[in-house]
């Protein structure tokens, strides 16, 4: 395969830097989901850790390098999960973390960012405005700007999930990956294509936030003016060119799913697997629900990438 | 310490027999729970596996010995979790498993037992009647009777959780363990008292099913005529003498909690930790809620031992 920006040896080495609380997460067949889905389903669970999402794998790398370089502070834009993870990783290394988020972000995520001692700055706009504001703060204050999916550590941290997938037996036919900025998809995709190339790498995005999927399909950056999805963690509008280049090398497909399928996926995970998934984490199940024939009798792994939800909304979705 | 029936070397060896899907489960600080509880809380999560509870650790041992001895079948009584786990472990070793349960057991547990190809026999009575019926079937058909908590494999399987607790840093001040038949409590308690004796081993039972706790307090078997609790997994009435003897050696305390505290615990785990817990798995949180002063500023580990709930009841409890 043509080379992505990621490096498999560096990803292996990353395991030594990342706090073990984020590594070697549960991976198991979930037969209770299978009658409704018509295929073998394994869950890779990234929610049973201090920040209830996979982002700690990347922020551990970022902050460890920052600390090694004598940096004292960093800033990022976040829909809420990267911010929590950066706050968690930064706090244990004595870094001052600033997180910029949309005022409309999931309240539970914002509360956790504050609780983890980060400075939280809210913008009156969406995640793309938060990205602009974070960049401006970094420039003004001379801080390191942590850019999700662009910064290679965020991709290679996520890629350690891929190592755990390919190292585990038995093998799988396809992996379903939530697609937002692309760190998770390019990270896991890189490792799977490098070490288990026969497995299909399928990215899943909401129909209401399709910028990266459209970009992948057209092989050029396509932006959108708005997003309209409950899957706040993947609701970007402006794909990053370098990330798209990597995604073009590692993704076998990128599919879009309806909001109703995301909600059905969350409900199935709740009722049949006993797992709380945030909307982005249910994208894989949603993709199976929308195309059962494609996956029939195959062994599919889906990564449950986060469980940070607002209680009232979650109860409504799973009622 | 005086010797229990359990053996630490044998528990270490058990790790080689148990399917890795049950081992090395997540263990992490859950700060989001701490403001309401007033202490440091770590979660040991036993729900992210194919049977959504810790019982697979024990049934892997039981069935591996059975298969080694050329046995073809086994029977157990179960409130639902042991039965699922025995069915899962038995199926992969080609054993015919019969599970006897109360007709009033959690429906989701009974459904999963059937789905795992076990023969399910229901009795018109509670778990103690199921135990009698399972013994009668074993006698009639010449089958191995798997007795939870009495059979040393069920205790030593559960005890591998204890190894994972004491091997992990940082150390903890107390571990809160759901107390039912006693396999989990004597198993984890044995290892903690052997390898981290300074940590307090605290067993927690519902006020509505207090037989083992009363027995521990009076240092003799005390039975009750009925049980009245939503914590179906720990609702026994007739403690086993040999298990009580072990519990007397390893438990520092046994406490009883109210149903309202169990429900509050489930709700907190849902809202602040993003975890679905069955009532038995919320006993530890309930114990903290009922005695915040005792745990103030200490580091407490609670074992989330299962997540098998009926959807409607769970929604009601966490609404």
């Amino acid at each position: 395969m043509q080379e992505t920006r990621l490096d498999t040896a560096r990803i292996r080495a990353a395991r030594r830097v990342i706090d073990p609380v984020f590594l070697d997460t549960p991976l198991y067949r979930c037969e209770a989901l299978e009658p409704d889905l018509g295929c073998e389903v394994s869950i890779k669970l990234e929610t049973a850790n201090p920040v209830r999402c996979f982002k700690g794998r990347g922020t551990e790398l970022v902050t460890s390098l920052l600390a090694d370089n004598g940096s004292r502070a960093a800033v990022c834009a976040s829909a809420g999960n990267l911010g929590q993870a950066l706050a968690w990783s930064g706090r244990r290394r004595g870094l001052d973390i600033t997180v910029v988020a949309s005022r409309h972000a999931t309240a539970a995520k914002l509360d956790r960012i504050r609780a983890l001692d980060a400075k939280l700055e809210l913008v009156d706009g969406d995640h793309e405005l938060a990205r602009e504001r974070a960049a401006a703060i970094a420039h003004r204050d001379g801080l390191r700007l942590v850019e999700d999916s662009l910064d290679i550590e965020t991709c290679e941290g996520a890629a350690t999930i891929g190592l755990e997938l390919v190292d585990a037996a038995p093998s799988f036919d396809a992996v379903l990956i939530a697609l937002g900025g692309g760190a998770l998809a390019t990270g896991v995709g890189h490792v799977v294509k490098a070490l288990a190339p026969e497995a299909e790498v399928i990215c899943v995005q909401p129909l209401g936030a399709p910028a990266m999927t459209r970009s992948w399909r057209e092989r050029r950056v396509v932006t959108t003016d708005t997003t309209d999805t409950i899957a706040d963690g993947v609701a970007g509008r402006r794909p990053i060119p370098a990330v798209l280049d990597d995604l073009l090398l590692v993704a076998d497909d990128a599919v879009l799913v309806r909001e109703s399928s995301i909600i059905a996926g969350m409900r199935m995970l709740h009722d049949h697997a006993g797992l709380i998934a945030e909307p982005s984490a249910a994208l894989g199940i949603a993709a199976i629900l929308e195309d059962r024939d494609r996956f029939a009798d195959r062994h599919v792994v889906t990564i449950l990438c986060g469980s940070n939800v607002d209680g009232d909304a979650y109860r409504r979705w799973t009622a």
Side-chain angles (χ1 to χ4, degrees), chain A:
Chain A
M1 123 181 136
Q2 226 181 309
E3 290 203 355
T4 69
R5 297 177 301 145
L6 285 70
D7 181 88
T8 306
R10 212 160 50 206
I11 295 163
R12 286 210 183 278
R15 283 182 53 90
R16 293 195 296 272
V17 175
I18 299 169
D19 188 294
V21 81
F22 296 111
L23 296 173
D24 300 320
T25 53
L27 172 64
Y28 59 101
R29 270 281 295 277
C30 189
E31 290 180 63
L33 289 169
E34 297 180 358
D36 286 340
L37 296 176
C39 58
E40 289 183 22
V41 180
S42 286
I43 300 281
K44 181 66 171 167
L45 190 71
E46 293 295 312
T47 64
N49 66 51
V51 294
R52 292 169 56 173
C53 66
F54 75 97
K55 296 280 187 188
R57 296 178 187 253
T59 57
E60 285 290 284
L61 288 184
V62 168
T63 55
S64 129
L65 287 169
L66 280 172
D68 287 350
N69 296 337
S71 296
R72 304 290 298 274
V75 58
C76 75
S78 172
N81 282 347
L82 178 73
Q84 276 187 75
L86 189 64
W88 190 92
S89 293
R91 186 182 62 177
R92 62 192 285 263
R93 293 177 176 88
L95 303 171
D96 289 325
I97 302 297
T98 301
V99 179
V100 185
S102 163
R103 195 173 298 283
H104 312 294
T106 297
K109 294 179 179 180
L110 301 181
D111 289 344
R112 291 307 307 155
I113 290 168
R114 288 188 195 95
L116 289 163
D117 300 337
K119 186 176 163 208
L120 179 64
E121 189 160 328
L122 298 177
V123 297
D124 278 317
D126 71 0
H127 180 61
E128 302 299 346
L129 186 67
R131 282 174 65 188
E132 288 171 19
R133 176 76 186 137
I137 291 172
H139 182 74
R140 181 193 70 197
D141 298 344
L143 298 182
R144 159 72 185 267
L145 175 66
V146 178
E147 290 199 76
D148 204 2
S149 306
L150 178 61
D151 289 3
I152 198 70
E153 298 86 2
T154 64
C155 304
E156 292 186 345
T160 56
I161 298 172
L163 286 182
E164 294 170 23
L165 293 181
V166 300
D167 286 350
S171 61
F172 51 92
D173 300 310
V175 56
L176 295 165
I177 312 173
L179 179 61
L184 184 62
T186 57
V188 173
H190 171 91
V191 172
V192 170
K193 284 298 140 191
L195 303 177
E198 68 290 351
E200 225 184 343
V201 172
I202 304 173
C203 304
V204 190
Q205 209 165 30
L207 272 164
M212 189 55 124
T213 295
R214 284 198 201 150
S215 301
W216 182 86
R217 289 177 182 170
E218 299 190 21
R219 306 187 67 84
R220 65 178 182 89
V221 169
V222 177
T223 60
T224 62
D225 291 335
T226 56
T227 62
D228 182 14
T229 178
I230 59 170
D232 58 299
V234 295
R237 296 189 289 108
R238 296 186 206 147
I240 299 169
V243 184
L244 173 60
D245 289 344
D246 287 344
L247 196 69
L248 285 167
L249 295 173
V250 301
D252 294 302
D253 202 358
V255 301
L256 296 171
V257 295
R258 294 185 292 275
E259 297 294 292
S260 58
S261 304
I262 298 171
I263 292 172
M266 282 192 286
R267 192 179 304 125
M268 287 185 63
L269 287 163
H270 182 104
D271 290 349
H272 300 314
L275 297 172
I276 293 178
E278 62 180 90
S280 306
L283 286 167
I285 301 295
I288 303 173
L289 284 170
E290 291 201 5
D291 197 355
R292 284 188 180 80
D293 286 350
R294 174 178 188 168
F295 299 104
D297 299 322
R298 299 172 74 198
H299 181 194
V300 181
V301 178
T302 182
I303 301 168
L304 257 68
C305 51
S307 69
N308 288 295
V309 289
D310 280 335
D312 290 343
Y314 183 78
R315 284 186 179 84
R316 208 166 53 240
W317 294 326
T318 57

